[in-house]
Amino acid sequence: MTSAIVVSGLHKSYGSTHALDGLDLEVATGEVHGFLGPNGAGKSTTIRVLLGLLRGDAGDVSLLGGDPWHDAATLHRRLAYVPGDVNLWPNLTGGEVIDLLGRLRGGLDEKKRDDLLRRFDLDPTKKGRTYSKGNRQKVALVAALASNVELLILDEPTSGLDPLMEEVFRQVIEEDKREDRTVLLSSHILSEVEALCDRVSIIRRGKVVETGTLSDLRHLTRTSIHAELAGSPNGLAQLPGIHGLDVEGNRVRCEVDTAQLDAVMRQLSASGIKSLVAQPPTLEELFLRHYEDDVPAEAEAAVR
Amino acid sequence: MNDFVGTGTLVRLALRRDRLLIPIWIVVFVISAAGSVKASIDLYSDQNALVEAARTSNASPALVSLYGRIFDESSLGEVSLFKLTAFGALLVGLLAGILVVRHTRTEEESGRLELLSAGVLGRYAALTAALIVSAGTVIVLGLVTALALMGSGLDTKGSFAFGLMWAGAGLAFAGVGAVTAQVTESARAANGLTAVVLGVAYVLRAIGDSSADGSTQWVSWLSPIGWSQQVRAYAGDRIVVLLIPLVFLVVLIAAATALIRRRDLGAGLVPPCPGPPQAAASLRSPLALAWRLHRGSFYAWGFAFLLLGLLVGNIASNVDGFVTSDSAKEMVQKLGGVEGITDAFLATEMGVMGLLASAFGIQAALRLRSEETALRAEPLLATGVTRARWLGSHVLMALLGTGALILVAGLGSGISSGASLGNMGRQVPRMLGAAAVQLPAIWLVTALVVILFGFAPKLVTGGWVLYGVFLLIGQFGEIFNLPQWMINLSPYGHTPRLPGGDFSVTPVLWLTAIAAALTVAGFATFRRRDIG
């Protein structure tokens, strides 16, 4: 499997702020890769380095087999980009912007353009200054999705879209996936990432802290178990990987490291299971686990 | 009173945001007024020369239509300031109008006002605050100007009449800005509308002032700029005339508040019209986009330059009519005959055109930075467009635009001076040549913006500062006895004085070479820096 994007040890500072601190990222050709992280984690900075808009201070970046800083314009013909913050020229219509960006990229699929305009319910005759945030976002989305490129780089593409339009966006990406297009999807909307992405990288303070398929990542977190047993449970407390154990007669509640699930289930069924509810970890939990130590720090900072 | 809640906070916010802009404007106005008086005192050493100058000006319909009439030909104050009476009132009006729109419609368009309106903010708070800031600015400007003029040796009453008539024009156009800000959805269009009203006001007073038999003089009274002239500073000091702009302001405020009651936040009176759903086949390159973005302002400037050129050429042909007395005729002979002074006049005015065209160049080049900070450059640079092509598209607009503007002015002045002097075939190429030699200095100043954009993008508006410094050096360098090396810093000082003067190719080549080097360095540095 070849890689559309390979980043290793990327550093980027603005003055004294260290935006990227040795970031590694690999996106395989043909996959939809989720790029997850809260505001300010370095997602947009990474993307702007990938586009050759910023120059990394150190580290290697390869995009579609080329160097995004030196071969920017050539590589850009093979990709389409949707910025997180879309600003349009006030006196150009949405339709004009879509065509202009498409042509500068080397062509636009007219049929796809019309189809997307219809599906996103976008009026292309309005002037840039009169669009709402969501509609500006749609203009950028149509411009990017209507071109037949190998790689889509989407920076929080659904910000400002209503839930109906988010659904349309998901369908369109699903279709692109079938056409073997590579997608780098930066987002903090976990359900979107869960629904669309083959693999996920979680970025925190300028570093990728976790990367893999969703099921890979689920192994790193805990499943919550709620069981009613035939007899009284025993030996549970000694098992490794069990957390927050709460035994009340024959009822058991606990959190289990997913890797230790098998041992815990054996122990439980030894006492005879009458009913069982097991909840798989959500991406939210996964995400929160990586950020939980940031939250109190921020809250403290706010108090100060 | 709920409608006004939060006004005080917004006034403080506006003053905080404009804490540099407003004082700089005030200083520029005060320096130009006081500088004119100082220059005139040096120029008109005896009373006869003063009266002579005033008479020749009043006798030329072209000068009267451009600057207005001198009511008291023996008043030093009026003669030395008459070029800044109507013209200064126009500029103060522009400042006042822009300030109001800047703190109302611009805020509304950007959505910042919505953020504030959701808090405790009265319906009229933004407009009231903008009017307080704008009116306060022009009143302070008028008072400081009055004090500076007194300091230059002019009488107290006349100086206050002059300062206050500037303020009066400012108040009238603060009112105009208050209304235009309600009418359109875009701040640019609101400013454009204010500029149109200013232009109409200027033309109305030109028609009234230049009325030969006095039958259409009343037309001047239809113009807020005409009211300022009718204060007749240093020639009667009719301060009471200023009641008219005050009443005008009150009426416009009433109109603006009525409009506010009737419209939604963010909406205008004129609904925006839809445009084409698809781009024209020609809109397929950064250059085509740049032309689309610059063309509106280019057409407006081009029209203004054509008019200015025609007007200047027309005034030039009247120059021999100014010369009536024997002493003046003698002086004319020394200056190289009638053609000598006509040429001297045309050369000076061409220099002014060069300064004005540079302002277009700077503004066009600054578009690069505003496109970048508004995040509109980023999506373009993420397509197959190289940085050099994107930068080049706007730089080309600035360089070719200034070239076209100055040549249009040269053509206009060549045609109108040639037509009245009866030698069109000679005058048109001469004036085109005189226009062309202005270009190297214009391009050099534009190139300064390009290198700043590449090398120190945060300091790019420093282009205006450099331009202002060059202007001040050119206008006042000799009056203030600056050392020669400082005077030499201004590129405009090296432009050959054409028509009529000696043409030497060396300074032209040097200016062009420096402009080219700065532009190339701008490209090289821009390719190496981060975007954003």
Side-chain angles (χ1 to χ4, degrees), chain A residues 35-80:
Chain A
F35 196 33
L36 269 174
N39 300 330
K43 300 192 298 284
S44 294
T45 304
T46 309
I47 285 178
R48 301 174 90 237
V49 172
L50 286 173
L51 290 168
L53 296 169
L54 301 179
R55 183 180 215 166
D57 298 334
D60 294 315
V61 183
S62 151
L63 177 93
L64 298 173
D67 176 343
W69 179 259
H70 287 108
D71 318 322
T74 330
L75 293 173
H76 290 169
R77 289 177 186 281
R78 297 162 60 192
L79 63 85

Side-chain angles (χ1 to χ4, degrees), chain B residues 12-256:
Chain B
R12 280 194 296 278
L13 177 69
L15 290 177
R16 167 70 182 73
R17 287 180 56 209
D18 290 345
R19 68 194 190 283
L20 275 177
L21 187 81
I22 290 176
I24 287 174
W25 270 93
I26 292 179
V27 166
V28 168
F29 277 100
V30 170
I31 288 185
S32 8
S36 290
V37 173
K38 182 162 165 43
S40 301
I41 291 174
D42 296 346
L43 193 63
Y44 306 122
S45 43
D46 71 299
Q47 187 69 16
N48 286 341
L50 182 81
V51 174
E52 177 86 2
R55 283 208 181 124
T56 49
S57 174
N58 271 344
S60 159
L63 278 180
V64 169
S65 68
L66 186 59
Y67 296 120
R69 191 165 291 281
I70 297 170
F71 296 100
D72 181 353
E73 291 170 347
S74 64
S75 157
L76 174 66
E78 194 182 11
V79 176
S80 54
L81 287 165
F82 88 102
K83 283 188 180 173
L84 285 176
T85 307
F87 193 59
L90 175 85
L91 292 178
V92 176
L94 185 65
L95 167 67
I98 285 177
L99 273 178
V100 171
V101 172
R102 179 175 156 80
H103 293 294
T104 51
R105 180 55 74 174
T106 308
E107 289 300 281
E108 205 171 320
E109 194 186 11
S110 68
R112 287 191 288 262
L113 192 63
E114 195 175 336
L115 194 69
L116 293 172
S117 294
V120 181
L121 201 63
R123 193 197 312 231
Y124 303 131
L127 180 63
T128 314
L131 283 167
I132 290 173
V133 169
S134 178
T137 301
V138 294
I139 289 169
V140 171
L141 188 156
L143 293 178
V144 178
T145 305
L147 294 176
L149 291 176
M150 281 165 61
S152 309
L154 297 177
D155 68 274
T156 309
K157 197 171 173 212
S159 299
F160 273 93
F162 187 88
L164 290 178
M165 73 86 190
W166 265 5
L171 293 180
F173 284 97
V176 172
V179 173
T180 59
Q182 314 308 322
V183 174
T184 64
E185 274 186 25
S186 104
R188 253 179 121 87
N191 279 329
L193 215 54
T194 311
V196 168
V197 178
L198 274 163
V200 170
Y202 206 77
V203 169
L204 282 178
R205 62 133 284 278
I207 294 170
D209 288 357
S210 56
S211 146
D213 54 358
S215 62
T216 50
Q217 239 166 36
W218 58 271
V219 178
S220 293
W221 287 93
L222 297 179
S223 159
I225 297 173
W227 303 333
S228 286
Q229 291 175 290
Q230 290 301 333
V231 169
R232 302 191 178 180
Y234 304 106
D237 305 326
R238 307 191 297 185
I239 291 177
V240 68
V241 173
L242 291 174
L243 285 175
I244 305 176
L246 275 181
V247 172
F248 184 69
L249 172 65
V250 170
V251 170
L252 290 180
I253 290 176

Side-chain angles (χ1 to χ4, degrees), chain B residues 488-499:
Chain B
N488 284 346
L489 282 181
S490 166
Y492 302 109
H494 302 282
T495 298
R497 283 181 59 80
L498 289 182

Side-chain angles (χ1 to χ4, degrees), chain A residues 12 48 52-55 69 73 76 81 87-89 91-93 95-96 99-100 103-104 110 113 125 129-130, chain B residues 186 272 274-280 283-284 292-293 371 374 376 378 380-384 386-387 527 530-531:
Chain A
K12 176 75 192 173
R48 301 174 90 237
L53 296 169
L54 301 179
R55 183 180 215 166
W69 179 259
H76 290 169
Y81 164 56
N87 271 331
L88 303 175
W89 294 274
N91 52 347
L92 263 66
T93 64
E96 287 179 307
D99 287 346
L100 174 70
R103 287 168 187 173
L104 293 178
E110 289 293 333
R113 174 191 191 271
T125 65
R129 72 167 70 87
T130 61
Chain B
S186 104
Q278 274 174 323
L283 187 63
R284 57 184 320 113
R292 179 76 186 269
L293 298 176
E371 287 285 292
R376 288 193 289 254
E378 205 181 286
L380 289 177
L381 292 171
T383 66
T386 61
R387 291 188 181 201
R527 283 180 58 187
D530 288 346
I531 304 288

